[in-house]
Amino acid sequence: PNQFGKPDPINDLIRKLYSSGKAEDKALAKKLLPKLRAYAPVLVRGEESQGVMVWAFGKMVYQRLLSFFVDSEIGDITNVDEGFDLVVKITKVAGKTFNDTTVDAARRPSKLSDDKKQVEVWLNSIPNIDDMYRVKPPEELEQVLNAWLNGGEVEVSPSVGTSRGPST
């Protein structure tokens, strides 16, 4: 909520912990810091009938995607006429909480579609991320924060909407 100029008890606690100067407070504050989460509209090849979806990913994939834009051989991967498809591989690694995700650009550029009208439909149906995730009110955040601080189970009401935009 802080990034939207709204009251944020978690951010307030982080600031308070850091300002205390105590090592254990700073360690707890680091655990509370938000992790980067990025979102991109995608169209899955072979599943185009499902329409534009939103892909959520972390810091490593985000940095990899950014690297394509500065690579002179790849350029703008988002160009609907000359962009590159992405090849995404997800691998389960024993002992790790999360799967490993690798992303590469296809070897050749490809059009989003030869059908210009369909391209327009897809571009106009990109889901609005603000409609998919709601900002929790401060009271709900305080409940979640207190439960986490007390080591209890955290039951969070869904903040995620659909991950798919209209397919028409």
Side-chain angles (χ1 to χ4, degrees):
N2 181 60
Q3 68 182 332
F4 301 110
K6 297 184 177 186
D8 187 341
I10 297 172
N11 185 62
D12 294 345
L13 179 59
I14 291 169
R15 290 177 182 274
K16 183 177 179 181
L17 290 168
Y18 269 117
S19 67
S20 79
K22 297 178 186 174
E24 61 271 11
D25 286 352
K26 287 183 180 181
L28 178 58
K30 283 184 179 182
K31 290 181 181 180
L32 289 168
L33 286 173
K35 305 291 184 262
L36 176 90
R37 206 76 189 134
Y39 303 87
V42 296
L43 190 67
V44 179
R45 295 292 187 186
E47 298 178 19
E48 290 90 346
S49 64
Q50 292 186 31
V52 178
M53 294 181 269
V54 172
W55 180 28
F57 45 89
K59 180 181 178 180
M60 300 302 287
V61 170
Y62 174 76
Q63 289 175 327
R64 178 69 175 147
L65 292 175
L66 288 179
S67 74
F68 295 144
F69 289 97
V70 296
D71 186 330
S72 62
E73 292 182 17
I74 297 173
D76 184 359
I77 59 174
T78 65
N79 185 298
V80 296
D81 293 316
E82 300 171 356
F84 286 77
D85 286 351
L86 298 176
V87 179
V88 180
K89 293 180 185 171
I90 300 172
T91 309
K92 176 67 180 151
V93 179
K96 286 183 78 176
T97 306
F98 299 102
N99 297 331
D100 279 351
T101 304
T102 57
V103 181
D104 287 304
R107 294 178 183 253
R108 295 186 184 97
S110 60
K111 286 185 175 184
L112 187 55
S113 174
D114 288 326
D115 182 347
K116 295 284 186 193
K117 287 185 180 181
Q118 182 61 63
V119 170
E120 281 300 312
V121 168
W122 285 329
L123 291 175
N124 290 326
S125 68
I126 295 173
N128 182 340
I129 196 75
D130 292 331
D131 294 339
M132 295 173 62
Y133 296 91
R134 72 173 178 86
V135 176
K136 292 180 177 22
E139 303 79 29
E140 188 176 342
L141 287 175
E142 282 187 47
Q143 289 175 342
V144 171
L145 176 61
N146 289 333
W148 184 81
L149 289 169
N150 293 322
E153 287 295 312
V154 178
E155 188 172 318
V156 180
S157 63
S159 63
V160 179
T162 179
S163 64
R164 189 166 291 139
S167 59
T168 56

